[in-house]
Amino acid sequence: MILGVPIGEAAKHSGVKVPTIRYYEQIGLLAAPARSDGNRRHYDASDLHRLTFIRHARELGFEIDAIRTLLLLQDDPNQPCATADGIAKARLADVEQRIRSLTALKAELQAMIEGCSHGQVAACRVIEVLADHGQCQNAGH
Amino acid sequence: MILGVPIGEAAKHSGVKVPTIRYYEQIGLLAAPARSDGNRRHYDASDLHRLTFIRHARELGFEIDAIRTLLLLQDDPNQPCATADGIAKARLADVEQRIRSLTALKAELQAMIEGCSHGQVAACRVIEVLADHGQCQNAGH
DNA sequence: GCTACATCCTCTAGTGACTAGAGGAGCAAG
DNA sequence: CTTGCTCCTCTAGTCACTAGAGGATGTAGC
């Protein structure tokens, strides 16, 4: 019988690091693969597919638990996709919120840096603004 | 002699939670305050100032180690402020990078959600795109 | 067959920045 | 004097890994 690729190959192919793959197996995100005589993990095409799916979802910022749900959905293609849609929408809302607060933050930091006269700490806008929230441009944070 | 406020008041005043204040003391970010007869922490005005500074810096996303440096600078106002400036600039660069990748991500998620026909998982764009990176709009992630 | 050397195995512990909970002591009001 | 709140210390848990120890296996060249 043909064994799949060893964990190092799986890592290269999927972009998930070796210890991380083992970690995913440990927490039950990825099923334990077949083992060779020498007790080594060997991954087949569907394992690699799953790993790539996981890596991609992680890159998009999905949490492990959300990915767990998405993987279950993937295994059961006759289900309505409202759940997957909901997960993605929640993620989108989260991303939008983050962009908003980071943008406010960016303005704050820029004002701090521009106000800094590059002299001594005593007159440093960076330190001053951090010490006194009242000097912030917007109270959104 | 006048004792300062107890930890609960300090929490309310600074916006840092009670266990977090104790944690900051434990890791040496905040000096151990005076104690009352009954062994309770009491914070004076300068402690509260420091706590507010920390909370504000944390809100702006500075790491504990960066805050440690900023607090040292604050204590020594005759130093040049290039260090504080550098820390703030590094933070700004980080924030800008994050905004860029989150913006790319947002487009990705929107495309996924728009492509979803709200039918069955088998035809779900969300699942499909996650499984196949090649379907991404930009390879920036 | 022998020797390097890479890759793999399991296991424990560490990261950052908290958060939760147990079990007990102090304090202020009624 | 009891009720109920705040406070104390201590340990362990969170998330998603990452690092390292110490040992086994596999492979390539000689």
Side-chain angles (χ1 to χ4, degrees), chain B residues 10-24:
Chain B
K12 249 179 239 161
H13 190 276
S14 66
V16 182
K17 288 184 203 153
V18 168
T20 306
I21 295 177
R22 286 196 278 248
Y23 167 73
Y24 286 160

Side-chain angles (χ1 to χ4, degrees), chain B residues 6 8 22 35 39-41:
Chain B
R22 286 196 278 248
R35 297 273 186 147
N39 197 34
R40 293 173 175 217
R41 291 168 179 86

Side-chain angles (χ1 to χ4, degrees), chain B residues 2-52:
Chain B
I2 300 163
L3 284 174
V5 298
I7 198 165
E9 283 294 304
K12 249 179 239 161
H13 190 276
S14 66
V16 182
K17 288 184 203 153
V18 168
T20 306
I21 295 177
R22 286 196 278 248
Y23 167 73
Y24 286 160
E25 183 183 326
Q26 190 195 311
I27 61 168
L29 188 62
L30 196 66
R35 297 273 186 147
S36 74
D37 286 352
N39 197 34
R40 293 173 175 217
R41 291 168 179 86
H42 282 266
Y43 296 90
D44 63 21
S46 88
D47 292 326
L48 295 181
H49 187 77
R50 219 151 230 266
L51 261 178
T52 304

